[in-house]
Amino acid sequence: MLTRRHFIMSSAALFSAPIALPGVANASTSSQWSAWDAQVTPANYDPAVSNPWGIQQRFLPRVVEVNSGLTPGDIHVDAVARYLYHVQDNGTAMRYGVAIGRGNLYEPGTYTIKRKAKWPSWTPTAQMVEREPHIYKQFEDGRDGGPSNPLGSRALYLYVGNRDTMLRIHGTPLSGSIGSRASSGCVRMVMAHIIGLYDNVATGSKAILYPGEDYVTAAN
């Protein structure tokens, strides 16, 4: 489990304000994936400005500078500011807005991304069904991928060793939840945003989820 000292000083010490840039498996088939990608991606999509979801502007994708010492390819999730950073190999990171788990359902730690999936199927965990049967029992046999699936357009599966933690970084049809504590433990992203992230994340990369403590974090 990560603690404050593992975070060095703060995410503000690791990641700067944005750099100004010009606008720049289940039963489903790959042809369906393309159609669904188009369905959840705005027309004339520009990640830096497109916002039909009405989320806060600070949660749109940005390139930010990073301090030295971070491993390119790794993902860092700032639970306080609700940012996900994907570290690049040129001293920058792509930053995205996220939602995180409600209360103690959020689990800080260091994980390995051992699996990736496009438009994945989804089955709620037994704990989710037990905790909220009125929501999840109807889906206990699973749900096929698609735009209304809770895992959305893409999913990155978080492991500790060879154990699937059941935690995911994934797209969500509930874009309005970005910036909040809303999920049953997973890290949620806008579906168009995780489509942009997905191809740049290699299996074997680390995902570091920091605790939701009251230290200074990036606010811009």
Side-chain angles (χ1 to χ4, degrees), residues 25-34 36-37 115-123 141-155 157 170 191 198:
N26 51 41
S28 62
T29 67
S30 57
S31 62
Q32 286 178 296
W33 298 346
S34 297
W36 290 337
D37 283 357
R115 181 187 166 203
K116 300 166 46 176
K118 296 183 179 182
W119 294 103
S121 58
W122 168 79
T123 302
D141 292 328
R143 188 170 181 180
D144 289 341
S148 62
N149 184 291
L151 293 186
S153 54
R154 303 287 190 275
Y157 294 71
H170 65 84
M191 284 201 260
Y198 180 90

Side-chain angles (χ1 to χ4, degrees), residues 7-108:
F7 201 40
I8 314 298
M9 290 184 291
S10 71
S11 70
L14 295 177
F15 306 101
S16 77
I19 299 171
L21 290 178
V24 285
N26 51 41
S28 62
T29 67
S30 57
S31 62
Q32 286 178 296
W33 298 346
S34 297
W36 290 337
D37 283 357
Q39 182 176 332
V40 301
T41 303
N44 303 311
Y45 178 53
D46 180 343
V49 298
S50 296
N51 190 14
W53 314 283
I55 61 177
Q56 292 184 45
Q57 289 293 117
R58 73 183 183 96
F59 293 133
L60 296 178
R62 296 285 186 268
V63 178
V64 299
E65 293 180 343
V66 299
N67 284 356
S68 60
L70 298 179
T71 301
D74 283 355
I75 284 174
H76 297 257
V77 174
D78 178 348
V80 179
R82 310 291 197 262
Y83 287 141
L84 178 151
Y85 298 89
H86 183 224
V87 181
Q88 312 297 298
D89 59 5
N90 61 353
T92 69
M94 283 300 304
R95 189 187 77 187
Y96 304 86
V98 298
I100 64 169
R102 306 188 304 272
N104 62 5
L105 297 178
Y106 176 75
E107 299 182 35

Side-chain angles (χ1 to χ4, degrees), residues 129-174:
V129 174
E130 181 179 0
R131 188 169 56 243
E132 298 176 280
H134 59 291
I135 297 175
Y136 297 116
K137 189 167 180 58
Q138 61 183 315
F139 302 118
E140 63 183 349
D141 292 328
R143 188 170 181 180
D144 289 341
S148 62
N149 184 291
L151 293 186
S153 54
R154 303 287 190 275
L156 309 175
Y157 294 71
L158 305 188
Y159 283 68
V160 172
N162 291 320
R163 177 177 65 87
D164 183 355
T165 65
M166 308 306 292
L167 298 176
R168 318 284 186 242
I169 298 170
H170 65 84
T172 178
L174 303 175

